[in-house]
Amino acid sequence: MACNKGFSCSYMLLKPEEVKFVDLIHFLFSSDLDKPKFVDSSKGTEESFRRRWLIFISIIAQKFLLFVAKPMSFVGSAIEFLLNLLSSNRNLGVLLLNILRGTLVIPDKTSATFISFIGNLDKRVVLDKSIKHGGDARYYAILSMMASKAAYENAAYIETTVRDQWKMECLGFYDYWNDYQEKATTQAFLLYDKDHDTIVVSFRGTEPFDADAWCSDFDISWYEIKGVGSIHGGFMKALGLQKNIGWPKEINKQEGNRPAPLAYYAIRDMLKEHLSINDRAKYILTGHSLGGALAILFPAILMLHEEKLLLERLEGIYTFGQPRVGDDKFGKFMEMMLKEHRVRYFRFVYGNDMVPRLPYDDKDLMFKHFGTCIFYDRYYKGKVVLEEPNKNYFSPLGSIPMMINAFLELIRSFTISYTRGPDYREGWFLRMFRVIGLVIPGIPAHSPQDYVNATRLGSTDVFLPPQHAIPAVNSVDISPS
């Protein structure tokens, strides 16, 4: 069997740019299973109609996203500008008054005060000072979640927040190249917690109006790496998979002339540089949504390359609302290697968040979760579980309880500041966003607000070593009480 581009002998690579809609319809309904040019697969097209249906949906979604990429970006920029225009002028009344006075404050998109769509859902920037390193097992989880939330913002915002609010050192915010999309689509930043000799690498998740990031999410291409397992192709491409080459340990100089660096290689080299200066320093990896997928795949490639120093100095991995990234074989490989290198991996899931339930875990898609899953209900009570409840989300029997739960979350948004304190007050924009949950419950549950609350309000028991943790269970009752 010929290996795909020299690095994977078992793979499925989708090419939405090379298909016409008529060909896609023929592919879906025809019994002629000859290899279509838009599905490059080592095993040929599966006979299963459902498998072809999933490929059809993936390609249609990507083609649609590519078609609407510019208007999506424009709409997103307009919404962000209007939200910042409103906050820059304090409120709607002052905004109208300032227009009449001729003193309207126009927000600068590159300034430290400009906040993204995600940031407007939860504007908190201050770390919970009551939770200290060493004295509270939640410290790294809270720092990781706040860093994951900050990753959605611009460079000036991140630098100012890290320096002035967190009293830490910002090591840089970077855009990284995607060889397959032929543009810089991946973002991450690094900070140094000097009081605790810890570097935090935070990957940005999917922004609501970023078509390129959504394409990475919807791309169900996969590659099997020998001895490792099969991994989600869209996430690998975002992390720095080299087109036609794969994952060589070092970048070929002839292949290195890109407008921006590749995420994995650039971050790996920066970590080596910083860690070589300080023998006591360690680092943690984190990210929300797509960022969480990149955070857990990063050490997988370190293991592939046998990067002993970086694996020894990896303190932990904290992901929030992370989608599935590989098959069962990959999960077993990662669990074995993380245990061998004594790296703790915490995968946080809040309530009915849709994203951790994707891609499907079923016979037609091989994606599986692995590692320690910490599940939080709407009361922010955490429990270690084998798998989050309703693992594939789209269950007719579960839709009504989820909608009821979303309604109670909306009610909670008006009361939480009284029960938990003013730091948990929710603004009008998040409350409007929660209304979506009455129809599609899994979307508002993906908001960083609930993950920040969960890490702050949840019990420390979930961070204890496995033998002392809450016994794992197959499911947790999240129906309203």
Side-chain angles (χ1 to χ4, degrees):
M1 180 187 297
C3 292
N4 177 267
K5 313 304 181 185
F7 84 97
S8 177
C9 292
S10 181
Y11 57 90
M12 183 184 73
L13 178 61
L14 303 186
K15 301 177 181 180
E17 69 279 0
E18 297 184 14
V19 60
K20 296 179 180 178
F21 186 73
V22 174
D23 296 330
L24 200 55
I25 293 295
H26 181 265
F27 162 78
L28 180 62
F29 293 104
S30 174
S31 59
D32 179 7
L33 297 178
D34 290 340
K35 272 191 176 182
K37 65 179 181 179
F38 53 86
V39 182
D40 184 7
S41 172
S42 60
K43 300 177 181 178
T45 307
E46 296 284 346
E47 294 186 4
S48 164
F49 173 81
R50 191 167 184 276
R51 172 63 67 86
R52 298 202 306 275
W53 170 250
L54 292 170
I55 292 172
F56 174 86
I57 292 297
S58 175
I59 292 178
I60 284 291
Q62 290 181 71
K63 288 187 74 66
F64 176 76
L65 287 164
L66 291 171
F67 179 74
V68 301
K70 288 185 177 179
M72 269 184 71
S73 178
F74 175 81
V75 170
S77 296
I79 292 174
E80 286 184 347
F81 177 81
L82 291 173
L83 289 170
N84 282 273
L85 181 66
L86 189 60
S87 60
S88 296
N89 292 274
R90 293 172 53 192
N91 55 54
L92 182 59
V94 177
L95 171 64
L96 296 174
L97 188 59
N98 286 347
I99 291 174
L100 295 174
R101 290 172 176 172
T103 58
L104 185 67
V105 180
I106 305 296
D108 178 3
K109 191 173 183 178
T110 62
S111 73
T113 58
F114 193 93
I115 306 174
S116 69
F117 182 97
I118 296 293
N120 273 282
L121 293 172
D122 180 3
K123 295 184 178 181
R124 289 174 291 184
V125 295
V126 179
L127 295 175
D128 189 335
K129 291 182 169 51
S130 67
I131 298 174
K132 305 292 184 182
H133 181 273
D136 197 315
R138 292 173 294 174
Y139 178 80
Y140 279 138
I142 290 169
L143 176 58
S144 295
M145 184 55 228
M146 291 299 286
S148 297
K149 187 168 78 75
Y152 288 99
E153 309 304 329
N154 64 50
Y157 176 101
I158 292 171
E159 184 174 355
T160 302
T161 298
V162 171
R163 182 189 66 232
D164 299 341
Q165 297 289 344
W166 303 350
K167 308 303 179 185
M168 300 175 187
E169 181 183 352
C170 183
L171 302 179
F173 172 80
Y174 305 93
D175 292 305
Y176 295 109
W177 192 254
N178 185 319
D179 257 5
Y180 291 78
Q181 295 182 349
E182 298 183 341
K183 61 180 76 172
T185 63
T186 302
Q187 292 79 30
F189 80 92
L190 287 76
L191 67 82
Y192 176 50
D193 181 354
K194 53 184 178 292
D195 291 338
H196 309 112
D197 277 331
T198 303
I199 296 170
V200 178
V201 181
S202 178
F203 292 92
R204 177 182 289 181
T206 302
E207 294 179 286
F209 299 95
D210 183 352
D212 295 319
W214 281 108
C215 282
S216 294
D217 296 335
F218 276 103
D219 184 0
I220 60 170
S221 301
W222 54 267
Y223 297 92
E224 181 178 1
I225 298 177
K226 187 176 180 181
V228 175
S230 299
I231 308 176
H232 189 290
F235 301 151
M236 291 179 73
K237 296 169 187 176
L239 186 60
L241 181 72
Q242 295 186 58
K243 198 171 187 178
N244 303 327
I245 298 176
W247 289 113
K249 189 166 185 177
E250 302 295 339
I251 295 179
N252 188 317
K253 291 183 179 180
Q254 295 179 348
E255 295 283 341
N257 296 323
R258 298 177 177 87
L262 298 169
Y264 165 77
Y265 295 96
I267 294 172
R268 180 196 66 179
D269 293 346
M270 278 190 287
L271 285 172
K272 283 183 177 180
E273 179 182 351
H274 288 294
L275 295 174
S276 65
I277 298 172
N278 185 349
D279 291 338
R280 295 176 302 173
K282 294 190 175 183
Y283 70 101
I284 58 179
L285 300 164
T286 189
H288 171 259
S289 191
L290 167 63
L294 301 182
I296 188 57
L297 286 180
F298 184 88
I301 308 305
L302 291 180
M303 294 167 188
L304 178 66
H305 292 159
E306 299 180 343
E307 293 284 358
K308 185 177 179 180
L309 170 66
L310 292 181
L311 291 170
E312 287 177 348
R313 307 282 280 278
L314 177 55
E315 179 74 12
I317 306 159
Y318 298 80
T319 71
F320 305 88
Q322 171 214 311
R324 297 183 177 98
V325 297
D327 67 356
D328 188 53
K329 182 179 178 182
F330 175 70
K332 288 184 170 68
F333 168 82
M334 287 298 294
E335 288 181 335
M336 177 184 69
M337 297 302 291
L338 291 171
K339 182 178 180 181
E340 179 180 326
H341 293 283
R342 298 181 180 179
V343 177
R344 301 201 68 190
Y345 164 43
F346 297 98
R347 182 174 64 83
F348 294 82
V349 177
Y350 169 75
N352 293 317
D353 186 352
M354 180 189 297
V355 176
R357 277 93 174 175
L358 299 171
Y360 285 138
D361 174 359
D362 62 13
K363 64 180 182 180
D364 292 298
L365 287 176
M366 73 293 195
F367 299 103
K368 305 279 185 182
H369 274 310
F370 61 90
T372 303
C373 175
I374 303 178
F375 175 80
Y376 291 92
D377 62 19
R378 73 167 181 275
Y379 303 106
Y380 302 118
K381 292 180 180 178
K383 184 176 288 188
V384 177
V385 297
L386 296 177
E387 181 73 78
E388 58 272 10
N390 193 17
K391 69 176 183 178
N392 284 329
Y393 182 77
F394 296 101
S395 167
L397 293 177
S399 60
I400 293 177
M402 286 194 295
M403 289 177 183
I404 295 173
N405 195 69
F407 174 75
L408 294 174
E409 287 174 333
L410 178 61
I411 297 299
R412 183 192 63 194
S413 72
F414 291 92
T415 62
I416 192 169
S417 62
Y418 301 102
T419 59
R420 298 293 190 173
D423 193 42
Y424 296 91
R425 187 182 71 84
E426 298 186 7
W428 66 269
F429 187 57
L430 178 56
R431 287 171 182 167
M432 287 180 60
F433 194 61
R434 288 201 185 279
V435 172
I436 299 174
L438 303 180
V439 181
I440 312 176
I443 295 180
H446 192 55
S447 165
Q449 173 90 15
D450 287 317
Y451 283 99
V452 173
N453 290 353
T455 54
R456 293 185 178 190
L457 299 173
S459 169
T460 60
D461 291 344
V462 295
F463 299 104
L464 294 174
Q467 63 267 31
H468 301 297
I470 300 171
V473 295
N474 290 317
S475 64
V476 176
D477 181 10
I478 60 172
S479 59
S481 57

